[in-house]
Amino acid sequence: PSEQALRNITSVVIMLMIWFYVILVGMSPSVVRSALMLTVYGLSRMLFRKTDTISVLAITAFVTLMLSPQSLFDVGFQMSYLAVFGIGVYMPRLMRLVYREDVNWSEDAPIFTMKNALMWVYSSLTLSFSAQLMVMPLVAYYFHSLPCYGLLSSLVVSVTAMLIVGISLFFLMALYLMPMIVCESVAYILNAVTHFQNVFLERITALPFATITDIDINVWQLVIVYVLIFCVSRILFILQRFSYPSSH
């Protein structure tokens, strides 16, 4: 088979595995949203069409609301879609601030490795910041509080969360394909990673000034906050366009 045919087969297999996982975990709104986005991405690749995060997000939201219109008023729905929207809008522009095609990095191994490590830290921070920028006003509105160490915790949670998902999938396959001793070993590792993440988050929340509480805003103040965010963002995007003309 051709390279494109193999790519299509791989995409179909991955999409089937994703929806199998979605069914196993109970089809929660956030998981379904992620699965729909990945499915749209996969179908777009198979159809030779270019896509971007915002377009995929819009299609996913449209399909979700067609199937379940009441989801629009669900807090989890609002937060998950706003978080992905923030990542799609702000993260690429923040990454352009440090990643320039016209900058030549040394190919020396230690310097190259350090550069990759720093880029991973920066990309993790920009990912978290982009999502939190859109979600925090909503958190303040619904829960009347704001976390202060979200960027710090995201550096660790982004790694442990990927490990937990990957190990969980491997554990499910091991239950049917491997001896019990292997399953027990994988379960032990999964439990250790999950325990580490929980303890880390507990320590973060126990730090001084970890949370700003007693925030009271109404829906009109929430709208004003988002309008200010978009206006300031637009001004900064225009300034960036003049500062980095080669990246547009």
Side-chain angles (χ1 to χ4, degrees):
S2 65
E3 182 179 348
Q4 182 61 38
L6 289 174
R7 195 157 40 230
N8 292 344
I9 293 173
T10 303
S11 298
V12 171
V13 172
I14 292 174
M15 285 186 283
L16 290 175
M17 291 179 63
I18 289 171
W19 283 105
F20 176 70
Y21 177 77
V22 169
I23 295 172
L24 284 177
V25 299
M27 301 188 69
S28 64
S30 60
V31 177
V32 171
R33 183 262 305 164
S34 301
L36 280 173
M37 288 193 67
L38 292 172
T39 301
V40 172
Y41 267 121
L43 292 175
S44 300
R45 288 184 59 190
M46 294 171 64
L47 296 173
F48 304 96
R49 294 185 178 179
K50 294 182 179 180
T51 58
D52 59 82
T53 302
I54 305 303
S55 299
V56 173
L57 184 67
I59 295 172
T60 306
F62 177 78
V63 173
T64 303
L65 293 175
M66 285 289 291
L67 298 175
S68 178
Q70 67 271 19
S71 296
L72 180 62
F73 305 101
D74 180 71
V75 179
F77 174 90
Q78 296 171 11
M79 289 187 175
S80 61
Y81 277 87
L82 277 175
V84 178
F85 176 79
I87 292 171
V89 171
Y90 294 103
M91 187 175 178
R93 291 172 169 84
L94 290 172
M95 292 301 296
R96 289 193 192 107
L97 296 176
V98 297
Y99 184 79
R100 300 286 302 282
E101 294 181 356
D102 56 337
V103 175
N104 295 321
W105 291 86
S106 172
E107 294 299 325
D108 184 63
I111 297 177
F112 190 71
T113 302
M114 182 179 296
K115 175 252 183 182
N116 287 336
L118 291 174
M119 285 297 296
W120 177 83
V121 172
Y122 181 76
S123 63
S124 298
L125 289 173
T126 56
L127 176 69
S128 179
F129 174 79
S130 301
Q132 291 184 41
L133 182 63
M134 286 289 96
V135 172
M136 277 191 172
L138 210 60
V139 171
Y141 174 71
Y142 281 115
F143 303 105
H144 310 292
S145 63
L146 285 175
C148 297
Y149 302 125
L151 292 177
L152 173 62
S153 60
S154 67
L155 289 175
V156 175
V157 174
S158 61
V159 176
T160 55
M162 287 189 296
L163 288 175
I164 289 171
V165 172
I167 297 173
S168 298
L169 288 173
F170 182 76
F171 177 71
L172 291 174
M173 292 186 292
L175 285 175
Y176 298 98
L177 302 175
M178 298 184 180
M180 184 56 63
I181 187 173
V182 176
C183 298
E184 292 176 351
S185 300
V186 176
Y188 176 82
I189 296 173
L190 178 61
N191 180 69
V193 176
T194 305
H195 177 72
F196 171 79
Q197 177 177 282
N198 292 336
V199 171
F200 174 79
L201 292 176
E202 289 175 0
R203 297 288 176 85
I204 289 293
T205 56
L207 292 174
F209 310 107
T211 307
I212 301 174
T213 58
D214 300 324
I215 300 175
D216 187 16
I217 61 174
N218 57 42
V219 65
W220 294 112
Q221 290 171 326
L222 177 66
V223 171
I224 292 172
V225 170
Y226 277 115
V227 170
L228 288 175
I229 290 175
F230 288 127
C231 290
V232 173
S233 300
R234 183 59 182 169
I235 294 172
L236 293 177
F237 293 163
I238 293 173
L239 293 176
Q240 185 186 35
R241 185 177 302 137
F242 285 108
S243 301
Y244 302 94
S246 61
S247 62
H248 296 273

